[in-house]
Amino acid sequence: MPATRILAERVEFRADREQIESVGTARARLAATIYPQSSGEIVSVSFTSGQYIEEGQVLARLDSAEERLRVAQANVTLQNAQQLLARYERIDVDGAISESQIDSAQTAVEAATIDLRLAEETLADRTIRAPFSGYVGLTDIDIGATVNQQTEITRIDDRTELFVDFALPEQVFGRVNVGDTLPMRPFAAAERDIEAIVAFVDSRIDADRRSFMVRAAVDNSADDLRPGMSFRVEFSLPGNDYPAVPEASIVWGGDGAYLWKVVNNQAQRVPVTIVSRDNGYALVRAELSENDMIITEGVQKVRQGSSVSVVQPTANNAIPVAEIRRSITGAAVQ
């Protein structure tokens, strides 16, 4: 029988794109809840809610009259110990002062110095300072309030940079690395795209959720994002390589999808499983190799083992592809 005229195309392999979606929550680069180091009465509050505070700036002070007296007393004790040691050292008469007396005087100076430092530390604890620069939050503390070490004074956040933590499925572990750029969108501004840099990838997989955590850094120098915001994380990763065939080449039968491969000018049926579709092409699982010829036009006219004739446009494009397709479609089955 005469060979059936067909159009054919060589198989190319393309990487599948694996779409990843997750939701992350932002936290400030530095965040702290401020508690007093000791109990007492608030005598001054030096900030307002939402204010930007520099590192070391005073936030509040507790009544410190007793602590100041202890510092003064420790100073007096140290001075006395130093004076006694100085007198001992000025005596230049052999045997007048024993070595043990000098050692005791030196020990007394060291002990008095330590007591003074402890008293100064206790006094310093009566002043509450910012541990780093940032914005303070709301506070319910007023002058005259009595607080203890469990009383929250305020919160402070350095939000010049935010960290967004989100979970990714186990199958992409090792394909997202520190330094990678990932796109994400805050739910509060769904139309805004943000580029985040992966700062940390967890070192283990959560055995219950079969996922691992990723932390990405987001520049917030414009100060228009806030800690606690939720972000939609969407990106794609290259997957496995699959044969890419035109969707028009796939035929559906009673036992599933298949296509026709040209082998020695004969049609050979090849079962396929569609993995994904992309711009008129389908990525498939099939027994195909790179540069295998598959029939793209005339698939309904061939049978298993039937002879085929591959028609191609001439080098100068004298015969348009559309005309070839009409001739193939209009040709009678021999």
Side-chain angles (χ1 to χ4, degrees), residues 80-313:
N80 290 335
Q82 289 172 336
Q83 290 172 358
L84 178 61
L85 178 60
R87 285 197 300 268
Y88 285 169
E89 290 175 341
R90 286 197 300 267
I91 297 176
D92 196 18
V93 178
D94 290 341
I97 301 297
S98 65
E99 289 293 331
S100 62
Q101 287 178 301
I102 294 177
D103 290 342
S104 296
Q106 290 175 339
T107 302
V109 170
E110 293 174 359
T113 301
I114 293 173
D115 289 341
L116 176 59
R117 290 179 181 175
L118 290 173
E120 290 174 340
E121 288 291 332
T122 303
L123 176 61
D125 288 344
R126 309 299 285 180
T127 301
I128 303 170
R129 300 180 182 274
F132 50 82
S133 300
Y135 292 89
V136 291
L138 294 173
T139 183
D140 296 325
I141 301 302
D142 297 313
I143 296 175
T146 300
V147 299
N148 57 38
Q149 293 175 320
Q150 285 74 46
T151 304
E152 180 178 326
I153 302 299
T154 188
R155 288 185 56 86
I156 183 170
D157 295 312
D158 177 3
R159 56 182 190 240
T160 54
E161 184 180 51
L162 299 182
F163 291 135
V164 180
D165 296 344
F166 55 94
L168 291 181
E170 177 183 0
Q171 59 264 32
V172 302
F173 187 80
R175 296 163 64 187
V176 175
N177 301 297
V178 174
D180 290 349
T181 300
L182 298 179
M184 57 180 60
R185 290 184 175 185
F187 279 83
E191 74 286 350
R192 178 183 175 188
D193 289 322
I194 295 175
E195 296 294 332
I197 307 298
V198 175
F200 174 78
V201 177
D202 203 351
S203 58
R204 62 174 58 192
I205 306 296
D206 188 311
D208 296 326
R209 300 181 181 180
R210 312 313 311 172
S211 63
F212 63 98
M213 294 301 299
V214 175
R215 173 169 292 175
V218 176
D219 178 36
N220 191 35
S221 54
D223 197 38
D224 53 357
L225 302 172
R226 292 292 181 268
M229 277 185 169
S230 54
F231 288 76
R232 179 183 289 110
V233 184
E234 294 181 339
F235 61 95
S236 60
L237 291 173
N240 297 322
D241 288 338
Y242 295 98
V245 300
E247 291 184 286
S249 66
I250 298 177
V251 184
W252 292 88
D255 54 353
Y258 62 92
L259 52 74
W260 296 104
K261 179 171 70 171
V262 179
V263 180
N264 297 325
N265 293 323
Q266 292 183 337
Q268 178 179 323
R269 179 168 169 160
V270 179
V272 299
T273 301
I274 297 176
V275 176
S276 63
R277 301 176 187 270
D278 180 24
N279 295 326
Y281 279 78
L283 301 186
V284 299
R285 291 190 184 92
E287 293 184 4
L288 294 173
S289 302
E290 190 88 17
N291 293 325
D292 278 350
M293 295 291 291
I294 59 170
I295 298 175
T296 58
E297 298 284 347
V299 293
Q300 303 297 337
K301 297 180 177 297
V302 297
R303 300 292 181 270
Q304 177 69 20
S306 62
S307 298
V308 294
S309 174
V310 179
V311 181
Q312 298 290 355

